[in-house]
Amino acid sequence: MTDDWSDWAFDTRAVRAGQHRTPEGEHAEPIFPTSSFVFASAAEAAARFSGARPGNIYSRFTNPTVRAFEERLAALEGAESCVATASGMAAILAVGMALLKHGEHVVASRSIFGPSVILFNNYLGRFGVETTFVPLSDYAAWERAIRPNTRLLFVETPSNPLTEVADIARLAALARTKGCLLVVDNCFCTPALQLPLRLGADIVVHSATKYLDGQGRCIGGAVLGNAELVGKEVFGFLRTCGPTMSPFNAWVFLKGLETLSLRMKAHSANALALAQWLEQQPAVKRVHYPGLASHSQHELARRQQSGFGGIVSFELKGGQDAAWRVVDGTRVFSITANLGDTKSTITHPATTTHGRLTPEQRAEAGITDGLIRISVGLEDVEDLKRDLAAGLLV
Ligand SMILES: *Cc1c(COP(=O)(O)O)cnc(C)c1O
């Protein structure tokens, strides 16, 4: 088997990259549930510990199953290095801890995952790293916010829950001009639909918990980028400080990657059909989905993504009562804040994921009382329409 998959198509890499068969000749990837590894001699142990000879030492550092997942995901994102983490949040933490120091500054989109805001403000802030939040697609605001000590720009696109799209190439050019690094949370698109590194981003972070697994089973994450920043710095933080991925979870994600491309196409097709149908419902005021011609960044999304993903949000004319009626009217959708699952999920952001914001902060973020977010799964789309219609039509 080859180790270099760069010449092969995405779908081939998704199934094949990262596997190194053992002498047992297993067809599927094995799981290595071992905390440590043994050495043939004292000299061999010394050579591994000193780094003179490559090889496994301890699973906080490297593990063959985790390594297989990292190699496969790196092959998909087109990255030199990938480091797997215990969760998506651990991936973002690892980037912050490995690449930032006291006195440095971050500019982040206002529309990022809630815990990411808390991580930057309450935790990294405690160690003297300040973060400025700017509106996702206000490029003048990004530029104004950058200071001489700005080290990272951090963006998530499309955003949650309003599916706003950021121009990655434009932010990457800005980062380059200003001498800082662009970090993209690629959780919503996955490499099947969007390749931020190819658009000029320096680092990609993932919550593998979402579409990479795609079946709602495990918590995990990953950081991708070049050998210096990720292979050395981020890996160095993880091997010492410990929020690494377990081999069991790595195996689940590894198998998830094999169907990623098929699933993302199917999620996107179902989401588009549902978004178009929602736009025609009299009770619906507005639908947010980058695949709709009515989306204000539809053209950018077409240019930058090869599909529009599975997340749709829509606003009911009747406010919270109407939104809760739709949520409570469903029998197929799961009422949960998770996303990126074969099972469709439905959330009322104003009273759940964004419930701790003040009404003013919610208004600023565009989270109205009538807003519903759905993560469109792989059930039959006519059944999903029927399920939403139960609460829409009353
Ligand atoms: C879920 C999520 C995270 C955090 O990932 P966990 O695996 O839950 O820690 C980060 N970013 C985005 C966009 C997410 O949706």
Side-chain angles (χ1 to χ4, degrees):
M1 271 193 311
T2 175
D3 278 347
D4 179 9
W5 292 94
S6 54
D7 273 357
W8 300 83
F10 187 93
D11 289 353
T12 305
R13 282 177 266 145
V15 175
R16 294 287 178 173
Q19 185 177 9
H20 307 282
R21 267 184 205 125
T22 73
E24 299 292 347
E26 70 283 355
H27 191 204
E29 298 78 355
I31 309 180
F32 287 87
T34 179
S35 49
S36 68
F37 299 83
V38 295
F39 314 109
S41 64
E44 171 71 19
R48 294 254 188 108
F49 271 86
S50 74
R53 209 167 304 154
N56 300 304
I57 297 174
Y58 188 60
S59 282
R60 172 155 38 77
F61 309 168
T62 58
N63 172 280
T65 314
V66 177
R67 194 66 225 144
F69 165 71
E70 291 170 335
E71 282 184 31
R72 186 165 294 174
L73 186 58
L76 297 182
E77 288 281 1
E80 221 169 60
S81 290
C82 172
V83 189
T85 57
S87 66
M89 291 318 300
I92 300 170
L93 174 70
V95 167
M97 294 301 278
L99 304 180
L100 295 168
K101 61 176 189 286
H102 187 273
E104 289 186 328
H105 176 243
V106 175
V107 183
S109 156
R110 209 169 57 189
S111 317
I112 58 174
F113 190 57
S116 305
V117 174
I118 299 172
L119 188 155
F120 283 116
N121 274 340
N122 302 15
Y123 293 97
L124 294 181
R126 208 189 272 172
F127 298 95
V129 172
E130 201 187 330
T131 301
T132 305
F133 293 92
V134 296
L136 174 106
S137 51
D138 183 347
Y139 301 98
W142 283 90
E143 187 160 2
R144 270 197 311 276
I146 295 174
R147 310 171 187 166
N149 62 342
T150 304
R151 171 88 168 127
L152 295 183
L153 308 185
F154 187 94
V155 71
E156 201 178 296
T157 179
S159 73
N160 181 18
L162 296 178
T163 74
E164 287 173 276
V165 180
D167 189 334
I168 295 174
R170 189 165 173 179
L171 287 175
L174 178 64
R176 247 190 326 278
T177 316
K178 301 286 186 179
C180 39
L181 301 169
L182 176 64
V183 182
V184 178
D185 183 333
N186 202 23
C187 173
F188 273 32
C189 276
T190 82
L193 303 184
Q194 171 170 279
L195 295 167
L197 299 174
R198 194 175 289 171
L199 294 166
D202 299 284
I203 290 175
V204 163
V205 292
H206 272 291
S207 168
T209 315
K210 312 295 167 53
Y211 290 106
L212 301 191
D213 170 16
Q215 289 147 86
R217 298 167 292 193
C218 288
I219 303 280
V223 184
L224 298 107
N226 71 27
E228 173 64 25
L229 293 172
V230 175
K232 184 160 166 264
E233 300 299 339
V234 174
F235 172 66
F237 168 77
L238 280 156
R239 83 173 253 166
T240 302
C241 301
T244 46
M245 182 180 282
S246 84
F248 288 102
N249 288 5
W251 185 82
V252 171
F253 295 131
L254 192 56
K255 302 313 277 180
L257 290 180
E258 294 181 8
T259 56
L260 179 66
S261 176
L262 281 173
R263 285 186 287 106
M264 293 313 289
K265 284 191 188 101
H267 281 294
S268 300
N270 267 2
L272 180 62
L274 215 50
Q276 285 168 338
W277 175 81
L278 281 165
E279 258 192 332
Q280 288 160 7
Q281 303 309 307
V284 173
K285 189 155 133 194
R286 197 169 157 201
V287 183
H288 305 272
Y289 184 64
L292 292 174
S294 61
H295 190 283
S296 59
Q297 295 139 321
H298 178 59
E299 283 310 312
L300 170 61
R302 280 170 65 110
R303 209 164 61 233
Q304 172 167 287
Q305 303 171 205
S306 59
F308 302 107
I311 308 297
V312 177
S313 64
F314 58 101
E315 211 177 312
L316 277 301
K317 289 175 183 159
Q320 179 174 325
D321 288 349
W324 278 25
R325 238 185 343 262
V326 171
V327 173
D328 290 338
T330 58
R331 285 182 297 162
V332 173
F333 277 85
S334 311
I335 306 175
T336 169
N338 195 29
L339 60 89
D341 197 307
T342 51
K343 296 181 169 69
S344 294
T345 68
I346 188 163
T347 318
H348 181 243
T351 52
T352 58
T353 52
H354 295 69
R356 281 196 285 175
L357 300 183
T358 64
E360 295 73 36
Q361 287 170 322
R362 266 201 299 280
E364 202 191 6
I367 313 293
T368 60
D369 290 344
L371 189 76
I372 287 179
R373 187 202 70 193
I374 53 180
S375 165
V376 183
L378 303 183
E379 302 95 339
D380 185 279
V381 73
E382 296 306 319
D383 283 345
L384 296 179
K385 289 179 192 170
R386 190 176 127 201
D387 206 38
L388 291 175
L392 269 180
L393 302 179
V394 287

